[in-house]
Amino acid sequence: MKILVAVKQVAALDEDFEIRADGRDVEADFLLRDLNEWDDYSLEEAMRIKEAATTPVEVVVVCIGPADADEALRKCLAKGADRAIRVWDQAIEGSDPIAIAQLIAAVARREAPEMLFAGVQSSDHAFAATGIATAALLDWPHAAVVTQLSYSPGASSAVFRRELEGGLLHEMQIDCPAVLTIQLGINTPRYASLRSIKQAAAKPIEVLSLAQLGVPDAAVGESGSLSRVRRMYVPQKGRAQMIEGSSEQRAARLAQIIEAFAGGAA
Amino acid sequence: MSGVLIIAEHRRGELRPVTLELVSAAQAGRRAPSDTVAVALIAEAPEALVPSVAVAGVDEIITVQVAARDFEPDTFEAVTHALIQARKPSLVLVPHSIDAFGYAAALAAKNRYGFATDVFRFEYQQDQLLATRGGYGQKVNVEVDFPGKEMVLLAVRANTFKPPEAPASPAISSFAAPAVRARVRSREFIELAASDDVDMTAAEFILAIGRGIGEQGNVEQFRKLAETIGATLGCSRPIADAGWLPKSRQIGQSGKTATACKLYLAMGISGAIQHLAGMKHVSTIVAVNADAGASIFSIARYGIVADIFEIAEALTGHWEKNH
């Protein structure tokens, strides 16, 4: 029995950053990389199923990204994932979530897991699309924004709750194998111990090329994508009026604002 | 291919208001004023929802009767696909909502429609559709296009377009749903148990805390501050997920909307889009955050870049001295 967990090495902007010369992304030097927050929760959910199971469960993590994405995979290995797979090729550059889903689906066909988890969305571009698109390409049942899951490894169906707007929960039943996108708060992700971090550094990461997956170049990158970035820019935003001064001066100004509200409300 | 098709969203027998925002979005972003706007009602009893979408800006209401009482992703995907095949719109709009998260990307990936989510602006320039969304935690805007795509599916951000109010009498037609194999089936809705007697939607002055408070032991300082200044204590998602405050105090998309709030003091909240969904409408927002680049400063009226504990302490001190 196997669970595949799709993870992403996300990018956050440094305090100061510059837009690339072609105007279509931020200059890579200004990006701070980390494992996507949502993926911490989907890995944890897979680990809990593994640990509660009476039969062996293998947790495999997959990431589409260049060599520096190994860092995200090592984090997952340190938290207990059994194996890690990374897919990269220069042709993947410029892929949208749908092109990325083609690759995750190709890995899923190769690995044949009984369950596939992905984060609801990534913290950088927040498409909320990759996991569900992967399911479509595999023709698997799928559900998004799962905050509670009852699943016995190998079972033909699972019961889950998805979290709707306003906090309402919707309980559903899904046929397996399935793709579920996992929401923050479904569990409390563990921390990796120093010892396991050290051990993870020595574990192998399987690196696959497009050819090894049997995915043509045209299925990824811009030609495999359903949208194309034309331009990235810093918006002219409303900027807050900044309150300056010592903490006491700022607190006094804050108090004035609160008093003005209290006066208006009275 | 022409015209705009809107997929209505409903829950427990009621239209979700975001559907009407899509009508305004279609009006603003369609290729030409001659492009018609059709709203599809995919429901067990679609006729019951007709009056709620009979508004100005809708040319046609298409009722599609299906077996599922509640949202099921396979049903919405199959029916929307059949509607697109039959009607050949150039643009399909769905809300960027939890339900649409469950099927829109599947529909686009299978049929290779042009596709973008969380779009807050779109327009045609020389017959080419351009859509704008946020990137890198909303710190940049990203303009995307859809080369070679005759049909584009956009998931539009809620609370972006003002819904039309004038009633109208659009044409009504019905469409036969295709056969659906429901691999994901609805069981029941579960209301959030009231773990707390607070009603965040009614609070007029909210002090909301976020990840910036660091650890559970620090909640107490802000609880006291809220009490001192007469605010209702609220929070962003990480605080509720960690169990430091009950879920009923969470403001945002999956929490409560600060409906009655007039003054919102956000401390240690960076301003994730899901949080902003619950409070960005508040007339006076004051943000205190150590990170000058936090997105909350782009919607706040007043901002303080500082250590939140220092400000909390100074405010408590100042208030106790003067009140």
Side-chain angles (χ1 to χ4, degrees):
Chain A
M1 154 68 197
K2 195 188 285 183
I3 302 175
L4 186 62
V5 181
V7 303
K8 181 179 181 185
Q9 170 95 317
V10 293
L13 295 182
D14 214 338
E15 201 164 316
D16 294 303
F17 61 90
E18 285 168 23
I19 301 284
R20 219 163 59 189
D22 70 358
R24 297 173 65 199
D25 205 339
V26 168
E27 197 67 69
D29 293 352
F30 300 98
L31 299 176
L32 312 167
R33 315 271 181 180
D34 201 355
L35 175 66
N36 181 35
E37 190 184 356
W38 275 262
D39 304 344
D40 237 347
Y41 292 80
S42 29
L43 174 65
E44 179 66 32
E45 199 59 22
M47 290 306 301
R48 287 181 186 210
I49 292 167
K50 175 186 167 81
E51 287 159 359
T54 49
T55 51
V57 173
E58 188 184 26
V59 174
V60 180
V61 285
V62 55
C63 181
I64 315 301
D68 66 359
D70 280 352
E71 205 184 311
L73 288 170
R74 294 219 182 274
K75 214 168 171 179
C76 298
L77 289 169
K79 291 186 179 205
D82 296 296
R83 276 195 297 126
I85 299 170
R86 182 170 62 79
V87 179
W88 190 244
D89 190 295
Q90 204 49 48
I92 298 170
E93 193 70 54
S95 291
D96 78 344
I98 309 303
I100 296 296
Q102 299 270 9
L103 296 165
I104 299 171
V107 171
R109 282 187 202 103
R110 193 181 148 106
E111 290 288 329
E114 275 83 2
M115 188 63 101
L116 199 166
F117 292 156
V120 166
Q121 60 185 27
S122 60
S123 57
D124 48 7
H125 294 297
F127 269 93
T130 312
I132 299 302
T134 303
L137 299 169
L138 291 167
D139 200 21
W140 282 13
H142 49 82
V145 197
V146 172
T147 53
Q148 200 183 314
L149 173 63
S150 311
Y151 170 66
S152 313
S156 61
S157 72
V159 171
F160 67 89
R161 288 178 180 179
R162 61 188 188 110
E163 183 189 54
L164 305 176
E165 288 83 358
L168 184 69
L169 299 174
H170 188 195
E171 188 169 286
M172 304 187 91
Q173 185 175 28
I174 188 165
D175 295 340
C176 300
V179 176
L180 299 179
T181 74
I182 303 294
Q183 174 65 309
L184 303 176
I186 187 173
N187 52 42
T188 306
R190 68 195 62 194
Y191 289 98
S193 68
L194 273 174
R195 189 165 154 266
S196 60
I197 292 170
K198 267 189 202 151
Q199 285 170 341
K203 281 192 187 171
I205 290 173
E206 187 181 0
V207 181
L208 296 176
S209 66
L210 289 179
Q212 280 168 299
L213 282 175
V215 174
D217 280 18
V220 296
E222 273 186 15
S223 54
S225 296
L226 302 182
S227 69
R228 175 180 71 174
V229 174
R230 267 175 49 124
R231 187 163 76 99
M232 193 176 282
Y233 60 98
V234 179
Q236 293 289 335
K237 277 184 184 167
R239 204 49 208 162
Q241 184 187 324
M242 288 299 171
I243 300 170
E244 309 285 356
S246 68
S247 290
E248 285 66 30
Q249 288 166 329
R250 289 161 146 183
R253 178 73 187 101
L254 208 43
Q256 272 179 359
I257 295 167
I258 297 166
E259 282 155 3
F261 153 78
Chain B
M1 300 229 161
S2 72
V4 185
L5 174 66
I6 292 169
I7 307 300
E9 192 163 300
H10 56 89
R11 186 165 295 154
R12 304 169 106 183
E14 280 182 34
L15 187 81
R16 295 204 64 238
V18 66
T19 305
L20 299 181
E21 297 172 22
L22 299 183
V23 175
S24 300
Q27 294 283 319
R30 63 186 161 176
R31 182 156 37 191
S34 59
D35 262 17
T36 56
V37 177
V39 177
L41 296 170
I42 304 168
E44 189 185 32
E47 289 75 19
L49 295 167
V50 164
S52 50
V53 291
V55 295
V58 177
D59 297 298
E60 184 188 3
I61 298 170
I62 308 171
T63 61
V64 189
Q65 205 268 325
V66 294
R69 187 193 54 191
D70 308 315
F71 172 79
E72 292 181 350
D74 293 318
T75 301
F76 268 67
E77 188 188 328
V79 172
T80 306
H81 179 243
L83 278 166
I84 292 170
Q85 295 282 89
R87 297 303 191 102
K88 302 199 172 9
S90 53
L91 183 61
V92 174
L93 302 181
V94 298
H96 188 61
S97 63
I98 307 297
D99 282 0
F101 282 13
Y103 76 96
L107 185 63
K110 248 188 223 165
N111 302 289
R112 300 210 56 82
Y113 303 138
F115 180 56
T117 62
D118 202 17
V119 167
F120 55 82
R121 188 165 65 226
F122 59 94
E123 60 177 336
Y124 283 87
Q125 276 181 13
Q126 288 100 43
D127 230 32
Q128 181 156 18
L129 181 63
L130 298 181
T132 308
R133 62 192 311 284
Y136 296 116
Q138 308 298 320
K139 287 187 178 174
V140 297
N141 280 1
V142 187
E143 195 177 83
V144 298
D145 62 6
F146 312 91
K149 299 295 182 192
E150 290 194 328
M151 217 309 288
V152 177
L153 171 61
L154 296 182
V156 178
R157 183 182 292 178
N159 301 315
T160 307
F161 294 88
K162 199 176 163 359
E165 279 163 14
S169 308
I172 298 171
S173 60
S174 73
F175 181 83
V180 176
R181 191 163 62 95
R183 304 169 299 177
V184 190
R185 297 164 294 276
S186 174
R187 283 162 61 117
E188 60 172 331
F189 289 102
I190 298 122
E191 300 274 0
L192 195 66
S195 51
D196 194 357
D197 56 5
V198 72
D199 179 7
M200 295 310 297
T201 64
E204 295 192 352
F205 175 21
I206 294 171
L207 164 61
I209 53 176
R211 219 192 280 267
I213 70 157
E215 49 187 281
Q216 184 167 20
N218 294 332
V219 173
E220 198 46 38
Q221 182 183 355
F222 293 91
R223 199 194 303 276
K224 278 193 189 134
L225 174 61
E227 203 177 304
T228 304
I229 60 179
T232 305
L233 187 65
C235 65
S236 62
R237 169 151 213 143
I239 305 300
D241 276 352
W244 298 352
L245 281 178
K247 194 87 178 159
S248 52
R249 291 192 182 250
Q250 182 185 323
I251 306 289
Q253 187 183 44
S254 54
K256 301 296 169 198
T257 301
T259 315
C261 188
K262 296 187 177 73
L263 176 60
Y264 195 92
L265 175 55
M267 300 191 83
I269 291 177
S270 61
I273 190 76
Q274 292 84 357
H275 183 73
L276 302 188
M279 48 68 77
K280 69 176 181 188
H281 60 275
V282 175
S283 60
T284 307
I285 297 167
V286 186
V288 187
N289 202 295
D291 173 13
S295 355
I296 189 101
F297 290 123
S298 67
I299 59 131
R301 179 181 291 185
Y302 302 103
I304 296 177
V305 179
D307 179 277
I308 58 166
F309 303 102
E310 268 183 47
I311 297 296
E313 199 177 312
L315 181 58
T316 308
H318 180 92
W319 200 272
E320 283 170 352
K321 212 175 333 159
N322 295 282
H323 291 84

